[in-house]
Amino acid sequence: MPDPADNTLIDRYRNLVARIKTAETQYGRASGNVSLVAVSKTYPAEDIRAVAGMGQRHFGENQIQDAMAKIPLLTDLDCIWHFIGSIQSNKCRDIAHHFDWVHSVDRLKVAQRLSSLRSEDRQPLNVTLQINLQNEVSKAGITPESVVELAQEISQLPNITLRGLMAIPAPETNFAEQRSVFRQLRNIMENINQCLGLELDCLSMGMTNDLEAAIAEGATHVRIGTAIFGPRRKK
Ligand SMILES: *Cc1c(COP(=O)(O)O)cnc(C)c1O
């Protein structure tokens, strides 16, 4: 657990990287198997630059306006940008141009737009499908029952590579419960692979409060904000 006295950005980043390493070891994951997506939403470009200076390359943003104010200031850094927020149709162009990954796709229309707006001389956009595991009305994501069909359609699009699944479970403090929800996501991905003959291999799951459980259940991308950048100010 981080020492509360270690409250600088750099200390928090170091502690978090150590936390991920410890979990990889504890749950038998190959070292470096879990990619850290540093969720920099609401934090300024200087903070991203400081964390990039520690060797961090993957950054996550959930609002296109916020992201577009920062990404142009950081083009010298070779960052890999992940879009993790809700996607309005009129934002697809910026997302397709400025991001490398989109974690939050849950509709065919959006995927089609992203594919058609992604320029063909770039690498295809990496996409994970957001699943609403617990049927929360307030939350984005497709139901587990509908995901095979959506995956089938999206896997055909030319300028997108379907990589796996993403979920944001309801807050839960019990470790066994956290694990059981993440295990569901892994099972859904395995089922898609079986039904469709795909080889999806990315599970975007785990945040500040549940990253160990996610790593135990096979997370390949943990999306961490607070543990690195500190508490966000409420809007
Ligand atoms: C904000 C956010 C995170 C990071 O959450 P923390 O609890 O601050 O680590 C991860 N994923 C998504 C989709 C987010 O919006």
Side-chain angles (χ1 to χ4, degrees):
M1 278 289 114
D3 181 340
D6 288 346
N7 58 2
T8 71
L9 192 52
I10 299 307
D11 289 332
R12 284 194 301 258
Y13 180 73
R14 286 210 178 103
N15 282 329
L16 190 262
V17 169
R19 221 178 123 188
I20 292 172
K21 279 216 161 69
T22 302
E24 281 177 341
T25 308
Q26 182 163 4
Y27 299 105
R29 304 289 308 276
S31 158
N33 210 231
V34 179
S35 296
L36 167 58
V37 179
V39 177
S40 45
K41 64 187 186 193
T42 77
Y43 283 93
E46 306 89 80
D47 286 357
I48 298 174
R49 187 171 289 281
V51 172
M54 306 280 295
Q56 178 63 29
R57 289 192 67 207
H58 296 269
F59 290 92
E61 292 282 341
N62 76 334
Q63 273 212 334
I64 197 72
Q65 297 92 323
D66 184 24
M68 291 314 299
K70 295 182 272 186
I71 291 175
L73 306 175
L74 299 166
T75 52
D76 57 311
L77 288 182
D78 211 22
C79 294
I80 298 167
W81 294 100
H82 296 247
F83 192 78
I84 61 173
S86 69
I87 306 171
Q88 294 150 287
S89 290
N90 63 346
K91 302 292 159 55
C92 285
R93 181 177 304 274
D94 279 335
I95 294 171
H97 285 188
H98 297 283
F99 286 79
D100 305 292
W101 283 76
V102 185
H103 292 233
S104 40
V105 171
D106 63 1
R107 278 179 296 153
L108 181 60
K109 255 242 153 59
V110 160
Q112 285 169 331
R113 274 185 78 80
L114 290 171
S115 179
S116 68
L117 292 164
R118 180 73 168 180
S119 91
E120 301 204 354
D121 51 352
R122 306 265 311 272
Q123 292 279 99
L125 201 55
N126 294 295
V127 162
T128 63
L129 304 181
Q130 182 171 352
I131 311 289
N132 187 340
L133 287 171
Q134 293 145 306
N135 252 312
E136 293 172 274
V137 277
S138 62
K139 217 164 260 178
I142 184 167
T143 61
E145 294 72 38
S146 322
V147 72
V148 173
E149 190 183 345
L150 184 65
Q152 207 274 330
E153 289 165 325
I154 290 182
S155 67
Q156 314 285 318
L157 296 172
N159 302 317
I160 277 181
T161 304
L162 182 59
R163 298 295 304 271
L165 304 181
M166 178 271 230
I168 312 173
E172 167 63 61
T173 52
N174 180 279
F175 186 70
E177 287 298 324
Q178 292 176 348
R179 279 190 70 157
S180 105
V181 177
F182 291 134
R183 192 175 313 130
Q184 283 177 45
L185 194 67
R186 177 156 53 85
N187 290 339
I188 293 167
M189 185 169 79
E190 282 166 9
N191 181 53
I192 293 170
N193 284 340
Q194 243 176 18
C195 290
L196 300 176
L198 298 177
E199 295 183 346
L200 307 185
D201 60 1
C202 292
L203 289 170
S204 170
M205 59 190 195
M207 317 201 322
T208 292
N209 292 322
D210 55 15
L211 70 93
E212 282 83 3
I215 289 173
E217 293 298 337
T220 59
H221 294 73
V222 290
R223 308 177 312 269
I224 313 294
T226 311
I228 301 173
F229 294 98
R232 290 177 289 274
R233 276 182 304 172
K234 290 260 186 317
K235 289 242 170 83

